[in-house]
Amino acid sequence: MASDASRPQIPADMKAFNENLIRELRANHGKLVTGPMAGREPMLLTTTGATSGAPRTVVLGYRRDGDRFLAIASNNGSDVAPLWYRNLLRDPLAVVEVGPERFQVRARTAGAEERESLAPKIDYLERQQALTEREIPIVIFEKV
């Protein structure tokens, strides 16, 4: 397992950082045009809070796999899954925004065999997996 020094730098106020990214992505048709992530086109994922029932939007890296979208529930290599993943376990229906598109998806976790074939498609999975002992889930988003 890697030390904290090898983990990617996280902003002090992650909530404010994400809120700014969400605003910028929505204002620029899914593209980041300023800051350290300029030029990237991450996914916006809106889930239903498992406890609150309120919509929760997060910024995620992803990879396309045909008509599907793949993401990892890494939480920056934490030993605890991200809240968005726990939300999806409770309610797998969500909304994804990629570029100018916005659509409903159903999410599921890749099983062992499927994970093996999908893992090479996510170039950053191995780096994130090295940061934790838990198996980082690969989440598959399919349009509804």
Side-chain angles (χ1 to χ4, degrees), residues 63-78:
R63 297 294 182 258
R64 285 189 186 259
D65 181 45
D67 291 340
R68 307 182 308 175
F69 297 83
L70 310 174
I72 59 172
S74 169
N75 204 13
N76 197 38
S78 170

Side-chain angles (χ1 to χ4, degrees), residues 1-139:
M1 188 167 1
S3 71
D4 284 342
S6 64
R7 291 183 191 275
Q9 188 65 31
I10 296 179
D13 186 345
M14 193 64 177
K15 184 176 180 183
F17 179 77
N18 278 325
E19 287 172 354
N20 287 332
L21 288 178
I22 291 165
R23 273 194 299 278
E24 183 175 350
L25 285 163
R26 287 180 172 157
N28 294 293
H29 308 290
K31 294 181 182 176
L32 293 171
V33 295
T34 63
M37 294 177 62
R40 295 189 185 172
E41 296 182 21
M43 165 193 293
L44 292 181
L45 172 67
T46 302
T47 61
T48 300
T51 303
S52 70
R56 304 286 183 208
T57 302
V58 296
V59 180
L60 295 179
Y62 72 96
R63 297 294 182 258
R64 285 189 186 259
D65 181 45
D67 291 340
R68 307 182 308 175
F69 297 83
L70 310 174
I72 59 172
S74 169
N75 204 13
N76 197 38
S78 170
D79 291 333
V80 178
L83 292 174
W84 63 261
Y85 181 68
R86 288 186 260 168
N87 291 345
L88 289 172
L89 291 176
R90 176 124 187 214
D91 181 358
L93 292 178
V95 174
V96 161
E97 296 171 64
V98 174
E101 294 182 82
R102 179 183 168 100
F103 46 89
Q104 189 173 36
V105 295
R106 180 176 304 279
R108 64 183 178 83
T109 303
E113 194 171 298
E114 192 173 26
R115 177 187 171 80
E116 190 174 316
S117 69
L118 293 176
K121 297 178 181 195
I122 306 171
D123 51 300
Y124 50 92
L125 173 59
E126 192 172 311
R127 287 190 311 271
Q128 290 292 294
Q129 187 61 69
L131 298 172
T132 183
E133 292 180 13
R134 77 175 168 93
E135 182 176 83
I136 295 175
I138 296 176
V139 182

